[in-house]
Amino acid sequence: MRTTILEVQKLKNRGERIPMVTAYDYTSAQIADRAGIPLILVGDSLGMVVLGHTSTVPVTLDEMLHHMRAVVRGSQSALVVGDLPFLTYTTTEEAIQSARRAMQEAGVQAVKLEGGAAIAPSIARLVELGIPVMGHIGFTPQSVNQIGTRVQGRAAADAARLINDALAIEAAGAFGLVLELVPAPLASVITQRLRIPTIGIGAGAGCAGQVQVWHDLFGLYSDFLPRHARRYLNLSETITNALTTYANDVREGTFPTAEQSSTMDDATLQAALKLVEQS
Ligand code: KIV
């Protein structure tokens, strides 16, 4: 059975911190499930860490759907949230159509939209139609060309706007809210003022949960490591070493051995060669 949005709310109510991670493919989703992660985000961060773009802006809905499908196939127990990419929810009608594709064509259980109070009416309509929605405020990567990559809400007016955005998104019916690159004291205040869980990334320990990008956690993305990330493994180095050993084994003829090969009896092989000669 998959985690439901009601269970996510219960985790928050019980004061249990909620771990969330991004995943972009079948195998990673299986691993996240095995680790007992209740919430998986198919983030449009895949534009950078999987597709090699410099931001999330070029990611299309079709690309997102491709990865959402793989993650849904790989996970049995996590609630899978699919990011709606840049310019796929510019109107409420477009948001409905994009969310419809994510849920019906890819099978995710919820969608995530970036934006504050301005997007609340669209969120309200999606929720009304039975679509669970996660909000996302603070640094919103799809607006990188407008706001740059920096902590949001440092000035009093910006902090007040973020608090009002958070309240508007909760009032619209979102079941959770990502706070990205928000000063920790402000994120704590927002968390305390909301009934729904906040999920922080670069927003301090006072959030109800945390989300991290798969490739940052495991040292797979070497372009840069955000300050808010902790590298739990250096898989890039581990894989590079293993791959170098594999390449050497191939060059030296020590891979494959009989153990990785299949055999056939010589008489059959000779018969095949005779057939070739006769043809
Ligand atoms: O796309 C993503 O991975 C995200 C997280 C950073 C929250 O939106």
Side-chain angles (χ1 to χ4, degrees), residues 2-21:
R2 282 191 192 277
T3 306
T4 63
I5 60 168
L6 295 178
E7 282 156 1
V8 173
Q9 185 61 50
K10 279 186 193 158
L11 290 174
K12 151 90 200 248
N13 296 348
R14 290 200 297 264
E16 291 180 38
R17 292 198 180 88
I18 305 163
M20 183 177 193
V21 69

Side-chain angles (χ1 to χ4, degrees), residues 41 68 80-84 95 98-103 108-113 126 131-135 175-176:
L41 171 65
M68 287 180 203
V80 180
V81 181
D83 250 346
L84 296 189
S98 300
R100 180 195 67 71
R101 294 194 67 198
M103 295 190 77
V108 300
Q109 289 81 51
V111 295
K112 177 166 79 60
L113 280 67
L126 292 175
I131 299 167
V133 177
M134 181 170 265
F175 76 94

Side-chain angles (χ1 to χ4, degrees), residues 202-214:
C207 295
Q210 298 291 327
V211 60
Q212 284 287 301
V213 169
W214 184 273

Side-chain angles (χ1 to χ4, degrees), residues 90-175:
T90 58
T91 62
T92 298
E93 193 46 44
E94 193 183 18
I96 294 168
Q97 288 316 319
S98 300
R100 180 195 67 71
R101 294 194 67 198
M103 295 190 77
Q104 290 190 323
E105 296 179 26
V108 300
Q109 289 81 51
V111 295
K112 177 166 79 60
L113 280 67
E114 294 181 7
I119 203 111
S122 292
I123 293 179
R125 182 63 185 139
L126 292 175
V127 172
E128 204 171 58
L129 293 170
I131 299 167
V133 177
M134 181 170 265
H136 183 158
I137 61 170
F139 170 62
T140 44
Q142 293 170 15
S143 310
V144 65
N145 292 310
Q146 206 161 37
I147 61 176
T149 308
R150 61 188 174 85
V151 174
Q152 301 291 309
R154 283 198 198 276
D158 294 338
R161 181 181 44 78
L162 284 180
I163 294 170
N164 285 330
D165 282 343
L167 292 170
I169 287 164
E170 171 169 280
F175 76 94

